[in-house]
Amino acid sequence: MAGQESEAAASAARPGRVPPAGCGHSAAPAPRPAPLPKKGRRPPRPTQPSLPDLPPSLPRSALQEPFSRRARQCRSSGPGEVEALRDAAASMEQEKETLLEMIHNIQNSQDMRNISEGEREELNLTAKRLMGRTLTVEVSVETIRNSQQQESLFHATRMIDEIVGKLLDDLEDSKSRLMSLYGACTSEVPSGPIDQKFQTVVIGCAIEDQKKIKRRLETLLRNIENSEKSIMLLEHQKATTRHLCNNGKD
């Protein structure tokens, strides 16, 4: 009996031999080999998204037509729009100068002497605040000049500055000379003499500089007129005071 069991174990250990049924040891089933691909067939490739249909190529003239239309529009309306922008900026610059002049005239008005101390102090504070806020606005229109126009502007500015420097010495003579300069800048028939030399210099300036020179002369003449009114008012007050004093003595 023992000899049969040892023979069965030996036969089970041999390769390629299946142990007989009823034996005490059971063997695990062998793994199945992977199926071989059939000849002539390849594995499917991953699908790619199809590209959209592209429009047919446009002719070169069709591509250039919108640009040509915009170029013609810019050439026809562009210069007018640029000049309108410059004029608007120049108007804002002039408005700023007018505001500064108005605030300055209020601060130096003779009427400030006729109000109470509290009102005068409050008005001065308001004028300073408005002056500061106005100066925060920066508006500048650059003028394109050639060398001759630049030199003419320099000479015109120097001639005006020389008269302004003598205002305190002789107000009446300075006013007369400024009026002759202003007459050289206006197209209207002047009421007094014209400074021919200044007129020749101004003609050599750029158009925008000519307008600025005229505005400066107008501002100076207005300030002189306001100063004369203040002086006349002050002299009238002094004469009234002297008259009252003389009547009181009598």
Side-chain angles (χ1 to χ4, degrees):
M1 188 69 178
Q4 293 178 356
E5 293 178 358
S6 61
E7 183 178 358
S11 61
R14 294 176 186 174
R17 298 292 297 275
V18 179
C23 180
H25 301 280
S26 60
R32 295 180 181 181
L36 296 176
K38 296 181 180 182
K39 295 182 179 181
R41 295 185 61 183
R42 295 181 180 178
R45 295 181 179 179
T47 58
Q48 297 180 355
S50 59
L51 297 176
D53 295 335
L54 298 177
S57 58
L58 297 174
R60 188 178 183 85
S61 58
L63 294 175
Q64 292 179 348
E65 182 178 357
F67 174 77
S68 300
R69 184 167 58 252
R70 292 194 303 269
R72 289 194 299 270
Q73 183 179 1
C74 179
R75 187 168 57 250
S76 60
S77 62
E81 294 178 357
V82 171
E83 290 304 318
L85 175 63
R86 291 179 62 87
D87 291 341
S91 298
M92 292 181 63
E93 187 177 15
Q94 185 177 358
E95 184 178 358
K96 176 185 175 181
E97 295 175 357
T98 303
L99 288 173
L100 292 175
E101 181 185 357
M102 180 186 67
I103 298 171
H104 183 267
N105 290 336
I106 292 175
Q107 288 178 317
N108 297 276
S109 175
Q110 187 67 27
D111 295 334
M112 294 284 285
R113 302 175 181 270
N114 301 328
I115 60 178
S116 64
E117 184 70 23
E119 290 178 342
R120 183 163 57 250
E121 182 178 358
E122 182 179 358
L123 188 57
N124 281 326
L125 290 175
T126 302
K128 289 180 180 179
R129 181 175 59 83
L130 293 177
M131 180 75 74
R133 289 185 61 82
T134 306
L135 291 175
T136 59
V137 180
E138 293 291 340
V139 183
S140 177
V141 181
E142 297 295 334
T143 303
I144 301 175
R145 311 179 185 91
N146 54 32
S147 58
Q148 181 180 358
Q149 292 172 341
Q150 185 70 33
E151 185 177 359
S152 298
L153 177 62
F154 172 77
H155 287 301
T157 304
R158 187 177 61 180
M159 294 176 70
I160 298 175
D161 291 341
E162 289 178 355
I163 300 175
V164 172
K166 300 177 181 179
L167 275 173
L168 298 178
D169 298 334
D170 193 342
L171 182 62
E172 192 63 31
D173 180 68
S174 298
K175 178 183 178 182
S176 176
R177 294 180 61 186
L178 288 174
M179 290 182 65
S180 66
L181 297 186
Y182 179 75
C185 298
T186 182
S187 58
E188 301 176 358
V189 179
S191 57
I194 297 177
D195 191 321
Q196 299 292 339
K197 180 180 178 181
F198 184 77
Q199 187 178 42
T200 303
V201 173
V202 172
I203 291 176
C205 297
I207 300 298
E208 294 178 356
D209 290 331
Q210 293 179 14
K211 295 178 181 179
K212 291 181 179 180
I213 291 172
K214 182 180 178 181
R215 288 204 306 267
R216 185 188 179 189
L217 291 172
E218 290 174 348
T219 302
L220 289 172
L221 290 173
R222 280 198 304 269
N223 291 337
I224 292 175
E225 185 177 357
N226 293 332
S227 299
E228 288 178 342
K229 290 181 180 179
S230 299
I231 293 173
M232 291 175 62
L233 180 61
L234 183 60
E235 292 296 331
H236 177 72
Q237 290 178 348
K238 289 181 179 179
T240 303
T241 303
R242 286 195 299 266
H243 179 70
L244 293 174
C245 292
N246 293 332
N247 289 339
K249 290 179 181 180
D250 295 340

